[in-house]
Amino acid sequence: MLLLSRYIRKMPANTSCHQFCVGATQALRRHYLWRFPVKRMKEHPEERLCASVIIYSRLRREIWMVGDCHCLVGNEYFDNPKPYEQELAEMRVAKVRELLAQGVSQKELLQPHDPAREVMIPSMLEVMQNQNVTYAVVDGFPVAESKVRVIPLDFQSWQIVFASDGYPKITGTLEETEQLLDYQRKTDPLNIGTFKATKAFVEGNNSFDDRTYIRFEV
């Protein structure tokens, strides 16, 4: 995040989506050359520095979605989920329900060590072998640009919301979006109901994943 933030602050205003993908990749690759063996990173995608990014280009009036983030443009919702994410979530959910049926308490399943999540980790690592093949991320290797979602905007005024996938649902205000997240935490902290996720709300946390929310008008 810090490396990409530094790159984005310095990149030219007229940067295209393609140029961003190339430049952001190079920014991480330079870090590998200092810290990590590139050959190993190539063979082990699960060990790479990795980030999803959503950007609005004011000059080009485009939104670029690299990885699993989501946004609102006016009242229209857009996302760019990773493939297999739902299958992995279903795998974890099935194990949670099995453990609950065996008498394991919800409290035990909300601890940092989640036995249900362990079941899906091998499959998750397999999926990561397809990083920048079947889905796009910024990880220091060429971005799978065909998997980057580009949303062009016309020249009318728009209210835009960007958010990370730590919010199950997003609305036009941060307050309401946080309320929906809190409702999820209180009613289904294991994330096994209507909303299924690869993680639960660890006891004591007010979120199950990283979350970022920004609203602006153009």
Side-chain angles (χ1 to χ4, degrees), residues 37-201:
V38 172
K39 183 175 184 294
R40 180 169 179 83
M41 294 296 101
K42 184 175 183 180
E43 296 170 353
H44 294 274
E46 73 278 4
E47 296 182 8
R48 297 174 191 168
L49 298 175
C50 181
S52 296
V53 188
I54 182 168
I55 289 179
Y56 173 66
S57 168
R58 184 172 64 87
L59 195 65
R60 295 176 180 274
R61 291 190 71 84
E62 291 178 340
I63 295 169
W64 311 330
M65 305 177 77
V66 187
D68 54 347
C69 38
H70 50 170
C71 70
L72 290 173
V73 179
N75 294 319
E76 191 169 0
Y77 175 77
F78 299 88
D79 66 353
N80 193 30
K82 291 178 182 174
Y84 322 117
E85 186 82 4
Q86 200 55 42
E87 288 89 339
L88 292 172
E90 293 285 357
M91 188 182 300
R92 176 189 156 270
V93 167
K95 186 61 179 181
V96 169
R97 290 177 175 161
E98 178 187 324
L99 292 171
L100 290 171
Q102 292 172 0
V104 178
S105 69
Q106 175 174 284
K107 183 180 178 67
E108 290 176 86
L109 295 172
L110 293 177
Q111 300 308 307
H113 175 72
D114 181 353
R117 183 171 167 79
E118 283 188 357
V119 170
M120 47 150 274
I121 294 297
S123 296
M124 186 172 72
L125 293 176
E126 286 182 21
V127 168
M128 291 175 74
Q129 296 300 314
N130 290 318
Q131 200 163 288
N132 273 327
V133 179
T134 60
Y135 64 96
V137 290
V138 181
D139 67 355
F141 290 81
V143 174
E145 293 186 42
S146 64
K147 308 301 180 182
V148 174
R149 187 165 190 175
V150 177
I151 304 166
L153 300 183
D154 59 25
F155 285 90
Q156 65 177 298
S157 297
W158 291 104
Q159 178 174 278
I160 296 172
V161 172
F162 286 173
S164 65
D165 62 350
Y167 288 110
K169 296 180 182 178
I170 55 175
T171 72
T173 69
L174 175 60
E175 181 180 13
E176 186 179 2
T177 301
E178 284 282 347
Q179 287 173 351
L180 290 172
L181 179 66
D182 191 53
Y183 179 78
Q184 176 69 23
R185 180 182 63 82
K186 290 175 179 176
T187 59
D188 180 22
L190 291 171
N191 290 330
I192 61 172
T194 304
F195 172 72
K196 299 179 176 68
T198 59
K199 302 174 185 174
F201 287 79

